[in-house]
PDB file of all heavy atoms in Angstrom:
ATOM      1  N   GLU A  94     172.195 109.822 117.755  1.00 96.00           N
ATOM      2  CA  GLU A  94     171.321 109.502 118.919  1.00 96.00           C
ATOM      3  C   GLU A  94     169.879 109.860 118.615  1.00 96.00           C
ATOM      4  O   GLU A  94     168.977 109.111 118.997  1.00 96.00           O
ATOM      5  CB  GLU A  94     171.797 110.261 120.134  1.00 96.00           C
ATOM      6  CG  GLU A  94     173.057 109.730 120.690  1.00 96.00           C
ATOM      7  CD  GLU A  94     173.712 110.611 121.783  1.00 96.00           C
ATOM      8  OE1 GLU A  94     173.109 111.604 122.228  1.00 96.00           O
ATOM      9  OE2 GLU A  94     174.876 110.307 122.179  1.00 96.00           O
ATOM     10  N   SER A  95     169.613 110.910 117.836  1.00 96.00           N
ATOM     11  CA  SER A  95     168.287 111.213 117.325  1.00 96.00           C
ATOM     12  C   SER A  95     167.749 110.037 116.491  1.00 96.00           C
ATOM     13  O   SER A  95     166.628 109.607 116.641  1.00 96.00           O
ATOM     14  CB  SER A  95     168.256 112.464 116.574  1.00 96.00           C
ATOM     15  OG  SER A  95     168.585 113.624 117.383  1.00 96.00           O
ATOM     16  N   ALA A  96     168.601 109.595 115.612  1.00 95.00           N
ATOM     17  CA  ALA A  96     168.180 108.455 114.721  1.00 95.00           C
ATOM     18  C   ALA A  96     167.941 107.147 115.501  1.00 95.00           C
ATOM     19  O   ALA A  96     167.023 106.447 115.189  1.00 95.00           O
ATOM     20  CB  ALA A  96     169.317 108.214 113.691  1.00 95.00           C
ATOM     21  N   GLU A  97     168.687 106.941 116.494  1.00 95.00           N
ATOM     22  CA  GLU A  97     168.515 105.734 117.331  1.00 95.00           C
ATOM     23  C   GLU A  97     167.151 105.743 118.059  1.00 95.00           C
ATOM     24  O   GLU A  97     166.466 104.754 118.135  1.00 95.00           O
ATOM     25  CB  GLU A  97     169.631 105.555 118.349  1.00 95.00           C
ATOM     26  CG  GLU A  97     170.901 105.107 117.734  1.00 95.00           C
ATOM     27  CD  GLU A  97     172.095 105.101 118.805  1.00 95.00           C
ATOM     28  OE1 GLU A  97     171.969 105.841 119.813  1.00 95.00           O
ATOM     29  OE2 GLU A  97     173.068 104.368 118.529  1.00 95.00           O
ATOM     30  N   THR A  98     166.764 106.971 118.477  1.00 92.00           N
ATOM     31  CA  THR A  98     165.470 107.103 119.113  1.00 92.00           C
ATOM     32  C   THR A  98     164.333 106.816 118.122  1.00 92.00           C
ATOM     33  O   THR A  98     163.343 106.107 118.433  1.00 92.00           O
ATOM     34  CB  THR A  98     165.259 108.537 119.693  1.00 92.00           C
ATOM     35  OG1 THR A  98     166.331 108.784 120.619  1.00 92.00           O
ATOM     36  CG2 THR A  98     163.909 108.706 120.385  1.00 92.00           C
ATOM     37  N   PHE A  99     164.457 107.339 116.874  1.00 88.00           N
ATOM     38  CA  PHE A  99     163.455 106.973 115.855  1.00 88.00           C
ATOM     39  C   PHE A  99     163.419 105.504 115.530  1.00 88.00           C
ATOM     40  O   PHE A  99     162.400 104.936 115.396  1.00 88.00           O
ATOM     41  CB  PHE A  99     163.745 107.805 114.531  1.00 88.00           C
ATOM     42  CG  PHE A  99     163.294 109.181 114.568  1.00 88.00           C
ATOM     43  CD1 PHE A  99     164.150 110.221 114.685  1.00 88.00           C
ATOM     44  CD2 PHE A  99     161.925 109.481 114.459  1.00 88.00           C
ATOM     45  CE1 PHE A  99     163.748 111.490 114.680  1.00 88.00           C
ATOM     46  CE2 PHE A  99     161.481 110.781 114.511  1.00 88.00           C
ATOM     47  CZ  PHE A  99     162.324 111.776 114.582  1.00 88.00           C
ATOM     48  N   ALA A 100     164.603 104.875 115.382  1.00 91.00           N
ATOM     49  CA  ALA A 100     164.668 103.488 115.079  1.00 91.00           C
ATOM     50  C   ALA A 100     164.029 102.640 116.130  1.00 91.00           C
ATOM     51  O   ALA A 100     163.225 101.715 115.814  1.00 91.00           O
ATOM     52  CB  ALA A 100     166.141 103.067 114.961  1.00 91.00           C
ATOM     53  N   SER A 101     164.171 103.012 117.366  1.00 91.00           N
ATOM     54  CA  SER A 101     163.558 102.326 118.493  1.00 91.00           C
ATOM     55  C   SER A 101     161.972 102.498 118.395  1.00 91.00           C
ATOM     56  O   SER A 101     161.223 101.556 118.579  1.00 91.00           O
ATOM     57  CB  SER A 101     164.069 102.854 119.797  1.00 91.00           C
ATOM     58  OG  SER A 101     163.294 102.460 120.918  1.00 91.00           O
ATOM     59  N   LYS A 102     161.496 103.689 118.165  1.00 89.00           N
ATOM     60  CA  LYS A 102     160.107 103.963 118.094  1.00 89.00           C
ATOM     61  C   LYS A 102     159.412 103.281 116.947  1.00 89.00           C
ATOM     62  O   LYS A 102     158.336 102.817 117.054  1.00 89.00           O
ATOM     63  CB  LYS A 102     159.831 105.500 117.911  1.00 89.00           C
ATOM     64  CG  LYS A 102     159.873 106.273 119.207  1.00 89.00           C
ATOM     65  CD  LYS A 102     158.539 106.207 119.872  1.00 89.00           C
ATOM     66  CE  LYS A 102     158.581 106.958 121.161  1.00 89.00           C
ATOM     67  NZ  LYS A 102     157.453 106.609 122.040  1.00 89.00           N
ATOM     68  N   LEU A 103     160.132 103.229 115.780  1.00 88.00           N
ATOM     69  CA  LEU A 103     159.560 102.696 114.561  1.00 88.00           C
ATOM     70  C   LEU A 103     159.859 101.235 114.314  1.00 88.00           C
ATOM     71  O   LEU A 103     159.381 100.676 113.321  1.00 88.00           O
ATOM     72  CB  LEU A 103     159.998 103.528 113.381  1.00 88.00           C
ATOM     73  CG  LEU A 103     159.699 105.023 113.444  1.00 88.00           C
ATOM     74  CD1 LEU A 103     160.387 105.819 112.353  1.00 88.00           C
ATOM     75  CD2 LEU A 103     158.179 105.216 113.283  1.00 88.00           C
ATOM     76  N   GLY A 104     160.703 100.628 115.156  1.00 88.00           N
ATOM     77  CA  GLY A 104     161.092  99.253 114.962  1.00 88.00           C
ATOM     78  C   GLY A 104     161.958  99.031 113.741  1.00 88.00           C
ATOM     79  O   GLY A 104     161.851  98.009 113.038  1.00 88.00           O
ATOM     80  N   VAL A 105     162.794 100.022 113.366  1.00 89.00           N
ATOM     81  CA  VAL A 105     163.680  99.940 112.221  1.00 89.00           C
ATOM     82  C   VAL A 105     164.997  99.414 112.749  1.00 89.00           C
ATOM     83  O   VAL A 105     165.594  99.889 113.692  1.00 89.00           O
ATOM     84  CB  VAL A 105     163.868 101.353 111.564  1.00 89.00           C
ATOM     85  CG1 VAL A 105     164.895 101.300 110.515  1.00 89.00           C
ATOM     86  CG2 VAL A 105     162.530 101.850 111.054  1.00 89.00           C
ATOM     87  N   ASN A 106     165.467  98.406 111.982  1.00 84.00           N
ATOM     88  CA  ASN A 106     166.843  97.867 112.280  1.00 84.00           C
ATOM     89  C   ASN A 106     167.832  98.526 111.333  1.00 84.00           C
ATOM     90  O   ASN A 106     167.716  98.473 110.134  1.00 84.00           O
ATOM     91  CB  ASN A 106     166.892  96.390 112.049  1.00 84.00           C
ATOM     92  CG  ASN A 106     165.976  95.682 113.011  1.00 84.00           C
ATOM     93  OD1 ASN A 106     165.937  95.999 114.227  1.00 84.00           O
ATOM     94  ND2 ASN A 106     165.282  94.634 112.564  1.00 84.00           N
ATOM     95  N   GLY A 107     168.828  99.057 111.936  1.00 85.00           N
ATOM     96  CA  GLY A 107     169.926  99.691 111.114  1.00 85.00           C
ATOM     97  C   GLY A 107     169.693 101.122 110.738  1.00 85.00           C
ATOM     98  O   GLY A 107     168.632 101.493 110.302  1.00 85.00           O
ATOM     99  N   ILE A 108     170.744 101.909 110.935  1.00 94.00           N
ATOM    100  CA  ILE A 108     170.771 103.310 110.597  1.00 94.00           C
ATOM    101  C   ILE A 108     171.969 103.478 109.749  1.00 94.00           C
ATOM    102  O   ILE A 108     173.089 103.071 110.160  1.00 94.00           O
ATOM    103  CB  ILE A 108     170.845 104.174 111.835  1.00 94.00           C
ATOM    104  CG1 ILE A 108     169.654 104.011 112.772  1.00 94.00           C
ATOM    105  CG2 ILE A 108     171.023 105.707 111.452  1.00 94.00           C
ATOM    106  CD1 ILE A 108     169.787 104.470 114.155  1.00 94.00           C
ATOM    107  N   GLU A 109     171.863 104.140 108.595  1.00 94.00           N
ATOM    108  CA  GLU A 109     173.041 104.463 107.845  1.00 94.00           C
ATOM    109  C   GLU A 109     173.486 105.870 108.139  1.00 94.00           C
ATOM    110  O   GLU A 109     172.621 106.789 108.247  1.00 94.00           O
ATOM    111  CB  GLU A 109     172.724 104.362 106.359  1.00 94.00           C
ATOM    112  CG  GLU A 109     172.497 102.920 105.910  1.00 94.00           C
ATOM    113  CD  GLU A 109     172.232 102.845 104.388  1.00 94.00           C
ATOM    114  OE1 GLU A 109     173.221 103.197 103.634  1.00 94.00           O
ATOM    115  OE2 GLU A 109     171.093 102.449 103.984  1.00 94.00           O
ATOM    116  N   THR A 110     174.781 106.106 108.319  1.00 92.00           N
ATOM    117  CA  THR A 110     175.253 107.438 108.682  1.00 92.00           C
ATOM    118  C   THR A 110     176.158 107.980 107.512  1.00 92.00           C
ATOM    119  O   THR A 110     176.820 107.227 106.839  1.00 92.00           O
ATOM    120  CB  THR A 110     176.039 107.499 109.982  1.00 92.00           C
ATOM    121  OG1 THR A 110     177.145 106.548 109.861  1.00 92.00           O
ATOM    122  CG2 THR A 110     175.207 107.126 111.209  1.00 92.00           C
ATOM    123  N   PHE A 111     176.058 109.300 107.316  1.00 91.00           N
ATOM    124  CA  PHE A 111     176.772 109.975 106.268  1.00 91.00           C
ATOM    125  C   PHE A 111     177.343 111.258 106.795  1.00 91.00           C
ATOM    126  O   PHE A 111     176.629 112.072 107.341  1.00 91.00           O
ATOM    127  CB  PHE A 111     175.863 110.266 105.058  1.00 91.00           C
ATOM    128  CG  PHE A 111     175.302 108.973 104.507  1.00 91.00           C
ATOM    129  CD1 PHE A 111     174.146 108.517 104.958  1.00 91.00           C
ATOM    130  CD2 PHE A 111     175.941 108.319 103.475  1.00 91.00           C
ATOM    131  CE1 PHE A 111     173.559 107.337 104.395  1.00 91.00           C
ATOM    132  CE2 PHE A 111     175.425 107.167 102.906  1.00 91.00           C
ATOM    133  CZ  PHE A 111     174.194 106.629 103.417  1.00 91.00           C
ATOM    134  N   ASP A 112     178.656 111.534 106.539  1.00 88.00           N
ATOM    135  CA  ASP A 112     179.247 112.804 106.970  1.00 88.00           C
ATOM    136  C   ASP A 112     178.574 113.972 106.287  1.00 88.00           C
ATOM    137  O   ASP A 112     178.454 115.082 106.869  1.00 88.00           O
ATOM    138  CB  ASP A 112     180.718 112.821 106.633  1.00 88.00           C
ATOM    139  CG  ASP A 112     181.584 111.946 107.581  1.00 88.00           C
ATOM    140  OD1 ASP A 112     181.077 111.548 108.644  1.00 88.00           O
ATOM    141  OD2 ASP A 112     182.676 111.588 107.254  1.00 88.00           O
TER     142      ASP A 112
END
Side-chain angles (χ1 to χ4, degrees):
E94 289 171 5
S95 295
E97 287 174 337
T98 303
F99 278 108
S101 166
K102 278 277 180 196
L103 299 169
V105 173
N106 294 322
I108 299 164
E109 292 183 62
T110 58
F111 299 88
D112 286 344

